[in-house]
Amino acid sequence: MAQKSHLHLDEEPDYNEYVVCKYRVTTDLPMEKAAEALAAEQSTGTWTGISTLDDEIFDTLGARVVSIEGDEVVVEFPVEDFSVEVGSVPQILSVIAGNLFGLGSLKGVRLEDVSFPDSINSQFKGPKFGAQGIRELLGRPEKPLVGTIVKPKIGLDPERTAQYVYEAGSGGLTNSKDDETLVDQAFCPIDERTVAVAEALDLLKDEGHLMMHAINVSTRGDRIVELAEKVQGWGATELMVDVITCGFGAVQALAEDPSIKVPIHVHRTMHGAFTKDPYHGIAMLPLTRLVRMCGGDALHIGTLGVGKMAADAKDDGNLAACLGDDVPFKTVMPVCSGGAYPGIVADIIARSGMDVQIQAGGGVAGHPGGVKAGAMGMSQAVDAAFLGIPAEEYAKDHPELSEALAKWGKKK
Ligand code: 3PG
């Protein structure tokens, strides 16, 4: 076959028939050459011309570079490049985010965004509950959800974990969860922890307060559904999955299994390994889109530029990817987590709007009055923001918020 080009720079991206990806490319080559190399490697080419590539294969399966503007390269992949197997994220990622990261001709390349046509979206089911479903389970239709991560992240035994959850609920929190490194350690077996936490949640319910706690079921792929079923049987009201370490298939397996009847809270630990560098890796946005397709009901998106993960936690489209109506899936509850404390709650809500779950570990357990007072401080901060009252003003007759502001101040 005579050498053909992947460049189609006079054409508009076709969002109906192609998977359209936006990359940021850094290279010493002319950008057109670099884009050509990327499109070739990810579809029908390799580093040299090959005798087995014919026109038909190239024309039907070759990736097409449809735009180059500065360092932004838009590439569209024919749907035929993707597996007909239902909803295969591993294969999708190998195409749109695979070998290209290692290409010697590119100094850096970052997948910034991806859009899927209906033919691929229809292979996925999306969340079972979504943001609205979680709100319904909690009987909280409008106010932001407010939660905590049990701290220390490892070390408490089941009884102390349950006590923490009870105090957090007594202080008004709607959500709590295991941290990303806690699953089934000897000091806190998952069966005993789940039962103890379920009892604490039942007690809160008897007292008139609805709360859910996500039990972390992150484990090997061949066991996660079985573990989740057991945990559900022991009384779990929500499950948590570390999506990057477990894989998207883990979220999907749980979301699509009819036996799983509680929401899935998705933690993104390890994402910083590839989201943090603005010139190389994968931005959070494609990951958010995939989590929604795979059925995560709630997803960590950082604290929108104001918490401990501030440097890599700006919104960058993730709120819209969780809540937008441009895809045929239920919405995902965006979770602002990581260094949150009462003094930054208003700033977060100003950026997120009311459809958000804000949660704090240190910002609850570090309160001078203990966990219940810390929960009250966070809860009061959310109430103040919901009512449009400045936190300092609201704190005048809410001592727990006042103490939190005295300890941590407002935005750092
Ligand atoms: C998380 O899971 O987001 C972190 O463990 C949050 O903990 P922190 O509120 O103490 O930063």
Side-chain angles (χ1 to χ4, degrees), residues 218-285:
S218 298
T219 188
R220 41 191 275 188
D222 59 338
R223 297 209 181 146
I224 196 162
V225 173
E226 188 189 334
L227 179 61
E229 283 170 344
K230 282 187 187 162
V231 158
Q232 222 181 216
W234 297 324
T237 47
E238 193 175 20
L239 305 170
M240 187 174 103
V241 181
D242 297 333
V243 65
I244 307 299
T245 58
C246 290
F248 291 91
V251 173
Q252 200 175 16
L254 294 173
E256 293 186 4
D257 195 304
S259 70
I260 303 300
K261 300 190 191 318
V262 295
I264 302 164
H265 180 107
V266 180
H267 197 292
R268 58 178 186 159
T269 190
M270 203 168 97
H271 75 95
F274 43 86
T275 58
K276 201 167 179 178
D277 184 338
Y279 296 100
H280 190 78
I282 307 176
M284 185 60 203
L285 186 52

Side-chain angles (χ1 to χ4, degrees), residues 9-71:
L9 296 174
D10 51 348
E11 295 177 27
E12 291 292 310
D14 181 348
Y15 293 97
N16 295 322
E17 300 295 334
Y18 291 82
V19 173
V20 181
C21 293
K22 207 183 277 179
Y23 298 98
R24 182 178 206 182
V25 174
T26 313
T27 180
D28 289 333
L29 292 175
M31 197 54 95
E32 293 192 354
K33 259 193 132 170
E36 182 94 47
L38 188 161
E41 178 62 33
Q42 295 310 121
S43 59
T44 54
T46 184
W47 59 275
T48 182
I50 46 176
S51 61
T52 42
L53 177 60
D54 58 32
D55 276 351
E56 193 188 336
I57 294 175
F58 186 89
D59 292 343
T60 51
L61 303 179
R64 300 150 54 92
V65 180
V66 289
S67 161
I68 299 176
E69 274 181 33
D71 62 1

Side-chain angles (χ1 to χ4, degrees), residues 267-268 271 302-314 337-340:
H267 197 292
R268 58 178 186 159
H271 75 95
T303 42
L304 307 180
V306 285
K308 79 177 174 190
M309 309 293 193
D312 68 334
K314 296 197 173 58
S337 189

Side-chain angles (χ1 to χ4, degrees), residues 138 148-150 161 164-165 174-179 182 193-194 197-198 201 211-216 235-240:
L138 291 168
T148 186
I149 309 100
V150 175
T161 303
Y164 186 116
V165 172
T174 57
N175 293 75
S176 60
K177 68 173 200 69
D178 295 346
D179 220 335
L182 180 70
R193 177 170 83 255
T194 307
V197 167
L201 296 178
M211 183 182 188
M212 59 172 68
H213 176 96
I215 297 284
N216 188 5
T237 47
E238 193 175 20
L239 305 170
M240 187 174 103

Side-chain angles (χ1 to χ4, degrees), residues 38-385:
L38 188 161
E41 178 62 33
Q42 295 310 121
S43 59
T44 54
T46 184
W47 59 275
T48 182
I50 46 176
S51 61
T52 42
L53 177 60
D54 58 32
D55 276 351
E56 193 188 336
I57 294 175
F58 186 89
D59 292 343
T60 51
L61 303 179
R64 300 150 54 92
V65 180
V66 289
S67 161
I68 299 176
E69 274 181 33
D71 62 1
E72 186 188 281
V73 174
V74 179
V75 180
E76 55 182 28
F77 297 92
V79 285
E80 291 80 4
D81 289 9
F82 298 89
S83 198
V84 290
E85 182 193 353
V86 174
S88 173
V89 176
Q91 194 272 335
I92 289 172
L93 283 176
S94 291
V95 176
I96 68 172
N99 278 4
L100 60 96
F101 296 118
L103 284 177
S105 53
L106 309 182
K107 281 167 89 176
V109 55
R110 189 172 197 250
L111 174 62
E112 298 285 355
D113 199 4
V114 57
S115 151
F116 296 100
D118 289 348
S119 60
I120 291 194
N121 276 333
S122 63
Q123 296 180 359
F124 290 85
K125 295 196 165 55
K128 261 190 203 137
F129 296 85
Q132 190 56 28
I134 292 176
R135 281 191 175 286
E136 281 164 18
L137 288 168
L138 291 168
R140 183 140 160 145
E142 289 174 337
K143 254 193 227 178
L145 306 184
V146 54
T148 186
I149 309 100
V150 175
K151 297 281 174 175
K153 61 170 79 187
I154 51 169
L156 298 188
D157 64 17
E159 288 66 40
R160 289 182 74 191
T161 303
Q163 180 62 26
Y164 186 116
V165 172
Y166 177 73
E167 286 181 32
S170 302
L173 299 190
T174 57
N175 293 75
S176 60
K177 68 173 200 69
D178 295 346
D179 220 335
E180 77 283 354
T181 58
L182 180 70
V183 182
D184 192 20
Q185 285 94 324
F187 59 80
C188 195
I190 194 166
D191 52 347
E192 292 173 29
R193 177 170 83 255
T194 307
V195 170
V197 167
E199 284 170 4
L201 296 178
D202 284 346
L203 194 53
L204 287 164
K205 193 173 171 186
D206 291 345
E207 292 168 4
H209 181 70
L210 289 178
M211 183 182 188
M212 59 172 68
H213 176 96
I215 297 284
N216 188 5
V217 295
S218 298
T219 188
R220 41 191 275 188
D222 59 338
R223 297 209 181 146
I224 196 162
V225 173
E226 188 189 334
L227 179 61
E229 283 170 344
K230 282 187 187 162
V231 158
Q232 222 181 216
W234 297 324
T237 47
E238 193 175 20
L239 305 170
M240 187 174 103
V241 181
D242 297 333
V243 65
I244 307 299
T245 58
C246 290
F248 291 91
V251 173
Q252 200 175 16
L254 294 173
E256 293 186 4
D257 195 304
S259 70
I260 303 300
K261 300 190 191 318
V262 295
I264 302 164
H265 180 107
V266 180
H267 197 292
R268 58 178 186 159
T269 190
M270 203 168 97
H271 75 95
F274 43 86
T275 58
K276 201 167 179 178
D277 184 338
Y279 296 100
H280 190 78
I282 307 176
M284 185 60 203
L285 186 52
L287 307 177
T288 301
R289 297 199 192 286
L290 290 170
V291 166
R292 187 167 175 188
M293 290 162 81
C294 288
D297 294 291
L299 169 67
H300 286 222
I301 61 160
T303 42
L304 307 180
V306 285
K308 79 177 174 190
M309 309 293 193
D312 68 334
K314 296 197 173 58
D315 171 33
D316 292 333
N318 291 298
L319 282 167
C322 284
L323 297 168
D325 58 7
D326 53 335
V327 288
F329 307 118
K330 287 183 179 164
T331 57
V332 175
M333 178 60 76
V335 179
C336 290
S337 189
Y341 53 95
I344 63 171
V345 162
D347 288 284
I348 293 174
I349 291 177
R351 295 170 192 210
S352 68
M354 297 298 164
D355 252 336
V356 68
Q357 175 172 329
I358 301 178
Q359 60 189 30
V364 165
H367 192 283
V371 172
K372 181 172 177 184
M376 291 173 80
M378 270 302 283
S379 199
Q380 291 160 2
V382 167
D383 288 350

